């Protein structure tokens, strides 16, 4: 049973569900919400890569989300660039800024890093809000074009945009899977577990942390650019700290440091929020205590809790089988029984 519900199979089931969703639902509102969920998932994966696998919690994630969105908006609306040129250039801009910020931010550790990025995120928000000549300030950017067609493929309908965002989400999931199951992924986990120990065995921690930070900002910028092209209007609020806390909530609920956690957490919270629209002003009063209890009792979220439970049951089953074999062979089994009781 544990093999059936491993994270890879969960991701496959969610992907199949996402691909077939427009085929079973002709409700444009539901498709719109699912598309927004996919966009948030991309940003959550960036936060998960940095916080979940390297142990550095960035609270400037919404700032880089806003940089990606505004880069696309300014390049298309004000500079008149074609969509795809502006789209990929916005990713480059976000990554370069992420690299420059990372050179300074990653010299701090633990809560100092979180505080530094929190201040940085607020500075980015203020720049977006106050630089009227570039960002239009509180008026926001209007008229951001939809993605340009690629050959015979166009993205003018809600469903076509849905599959475009889904394509980028699947690309991000594939990249995350390859990273996690590679030597680089093991290196990042080693840094998370003990940075000092990682340095003693010859790991260049600064180089690896900077790589992860840039990838994290790249995912945030990609998420922001897709959001801008989908909503077609952006304002300073998309760079506020509230967005960062929303993304962090999705990650903590789904499972920090897990591959399928961002998918599960984002889908659950976004759809639950839609069902509680009449209580939007009390949202934090509802989610706050729930999130606190979840962090206390299930620090690795829903996916982490399920994975840990299955791993314990599997280990206990294996020990019981080993104990039975030992008994049948007539060998001492007292130590095995102790191990079973501990599990």
């Amino acid at each position: 049973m544990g093999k059936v519900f491993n994270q890879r199979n969960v991701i496959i089931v969610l992907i199949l569900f996402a691909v077939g969703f427009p085929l079973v639902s002709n409700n444009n509102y539901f498709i719109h919400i699912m598309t927004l969920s996919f966009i948030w998932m991309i940003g959550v994966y960036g936060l998960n890569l940095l916080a979940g696998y390297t142990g550095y919690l960035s609270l400037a994630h919404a700032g880089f989300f806003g940089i990606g969105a505004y880069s696309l908006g300014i390049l298309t609306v004000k500079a008149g660039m074609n969509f795809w040129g502006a789209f990929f250039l916005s990713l480059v801009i976000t990554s370069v800024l992420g690299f420059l910020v990372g050179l300074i931010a990653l010299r701090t550790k633990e809560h100092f890093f979180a505080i530094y990025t929190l201040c940085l995120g607020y500075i980015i928000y203020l720049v977006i809000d106050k630089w009227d000549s570039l960002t239009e300030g509180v008026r926001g950017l209007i008229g951001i074009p939809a993605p340009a067609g690629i050959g015979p493929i166009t993205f003018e309908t809600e469903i076509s945009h849905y599959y475009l965002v889904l394509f980028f989400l699947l690309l991000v999931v594939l990249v995350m899977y390859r990273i996690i199951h590679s030597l680089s992924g093991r290196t990042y986990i080693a840094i998370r577990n003990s940075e000092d120990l990682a340095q003693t065995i010859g790991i260049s921690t600064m180089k690896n942390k900077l790589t992860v930070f840039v990838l994290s900002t790249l995912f945030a910028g990609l998420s922001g650019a897709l959001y801008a092209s989908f909503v077609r209007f952006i304002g300073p609020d998309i760079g506020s700290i509230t967005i960062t806390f929303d993304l962090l909530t999705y990650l903590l609920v789904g499972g920090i440091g897990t591959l399928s956690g961002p998918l599960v957490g984002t889908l659950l919270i976004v759809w639950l929020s839609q069902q509680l629209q009449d209580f939007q002003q009390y949202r934090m009063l509802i989610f706050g205590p729930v999130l606190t209890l979840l962090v206390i009792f299930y620090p690795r979220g829903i996916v982490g809790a399920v994975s840990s439970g299955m791993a314990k049951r599997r280990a206990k089953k294996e020990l019981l089988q080993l104990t039975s074999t030992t008994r049948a062979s007539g060998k001492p089994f007292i130590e095995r029984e102790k191990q079973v009781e501990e599990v």
Side-chain angles (χ1 to χ4, degrees), residues 12-88:
I12 292 174
V13 170
L14 291 175
I15 289 173
L16 293 176
F17 168 76
V19 171
F21 183 77
L23 304 178
V24 298
S25 174
N26 56 1
N27 190 317
N28 284 336
Y29 174 74
F30 289 158
I31 294 174
H32 181 89
I33 298 301
M34 283 294 289
T35 306
L36 284 176
S37 298
F38 296 160
I39 292 172
W40 297 128
M41 287 174 192
I42 295 173
V44 175
Y45 267 114
L47 192 60
N48 189 33
L49 180 61
L50 184 61
Y53 289 95
T54 315
Y56 278 75
L57 176 61
S58 172
L59 296 179
H61 213 60
F64 291 104
F65 178 89
I67 289 173
Y70 268 90
S71 295
L72 176 68
I74 292 170
L75 290 173
T76 52
V77 175
K78 292 197 167 186
M81 286 186 63
N82 67 79
F83 178 85
W84 291 112
F87 181 84
F88 290 110

Side-chain angles (χ1 to χ4, degrees), residues 87-110:
F87 181 84
F88 290 110
L89 186 55
S90 67
L91 302 185
V92 173
I93 293 172
T94 308
S95 301
V96 170
L97 290 176
F99 176 80
L100 297 176
V101 168
L103 287 175
I104 301 173
L106 292 171
R107 297 182 184 276
T108 61
K109 296 181 180 180
E110 299 174 349

Side-chain angles (χ1 to χ4, degrees), residues 50-332:
L50 184 61
Y53 289 95
T54 315
Y56 278 75
L57 176 61
S58 172
L59 296 179
H61 213 60
F64 291 104
F65 178 89
I67 289 173
Y70 268 90
S71 295
L72 176 68
I74 292 170
L75 290 173
T76 52
V77 175
K78 292 197 167 186
M81 286 186 63
N82 67 79
F83 178 85
W84 291 112
F87 181 84
F88 290 110
L89 186 55
S90 67
L91 302 185
V92 173
I93 293 172
T94 308
S95 301
V96 170
L97 290 176
F99 176 80
L100 297 176
V101 168
L103 287 175
I104 301 173
L106 292 171
R107 297 182 184 276
T108 61
K109 296 181 180 180
E110 299 174 349
H111 57 282
F112 297 106
F113 177 82
I115 294 172
Y116 181 89
T117 53
L118 174 64
C119 297
L120 176 67
Y122 188 66
I123 291 172
I124 295 174
Y125 166 74
L126 289 178
V127 170
I128 294 174
D129 185 51
K130 303 301 181 183
W131 197 348
D132 290 358
S133 61
L134 182 66
T135 66
E136 298 299 328
V138 295
R139 295 187 299 274
L141 283 174
I142 304 174
I144 299 172
I150 302 175
I153 304 175
T154 60
F155 305 102
E156 298 176 355
T157 64
E158 196 86 24
I159 293 179
S160 62
H161 212 134
Y162 171 94
Y163 281 113
L164 174 65
V165 175
L166 178 60
F167 166 78
F168 282 106
L169 173 61
L170 296 181
L171 186 61
V172 167
V173 172
L174 177 61
V175 170
M176 283 290 299
Y177 181 84
R178 297 288 294 179
I179 290 175
I180 293 169
H181 294 87
S182 67
L183 180 60
S184 296
R186 304 299 180 190
T187 302
Y188 303 152
I189 293 174
I191 294 173
R192 180 193 66 189
N193 293 339
S194 176
E195 188 170 340
D196 293 334
L197 180 59
Q199 287 178 333
T200 61
I201 62 176
I203 294 176
S204 177
T205 56
M206 184 62 183
K207 176 182 176 182
N208 283 280
K209 290 188 300 182
L210 186 57
T211 301
V212 173
F213 191 83
V214 172
L215 280 173
S216 177
T217 58
L218 174 63
F219 288 167
L222 173 61
S223 180
L226 290 172
Y227 180 86
S229 66
F230 180 63
V231 177
R232 313 281 294 278
F233 164 79
I234 52 177
D237 287 345
I238 67 170
S240 68
I241 190 64
T242 305
I243 300 296
T244 297
F245 287 142
D246 285 343
L247 297 177
L248 186 58
T249 300
Y250 302 155
L251 178 59
L252 292 177
V253 171
I256 187 170
T258 63
L259 185 60
S260 58
L263 302 177
V264 175
T266 305
L267 273 178
L268 179 63
I269 299 299
V270 168
W271 281 98
L272 186 60
S273 298
Q274 292 303 312
Q275 300 302 317
L276 299 175
Q277 281 188 350
D278 293 338
F279 305 95
Q280 281 298 311
Q281 56 183 333
Y282 306 109
R283 187 180 63 164
M284 295 311 297
L285 291 177
I286 297 172
F287 287 132
V290 173
L291 185 60
T292 302
L293 293 174
L294 186 69
V295 170
I296 293 173
F297 295 104
Y298 300 102
R300 293 194 65 200
I302 295 173
V303 174
V306 173
S307 298
S308 298
M310 289 182 175
K312 288 181 179 180
R313 285 196 294 270
R314 187 163 55 248
K316 186 174 183 179
K317 182 178 179 181
E318 291 174 355
L319 285 172
L320 287 171
Q321 290 176 346
L322 185 58
T323 301
S324 300
T325 303
T326 305
R327 285 177 174 176
S329 63
K331 296 180 180 180

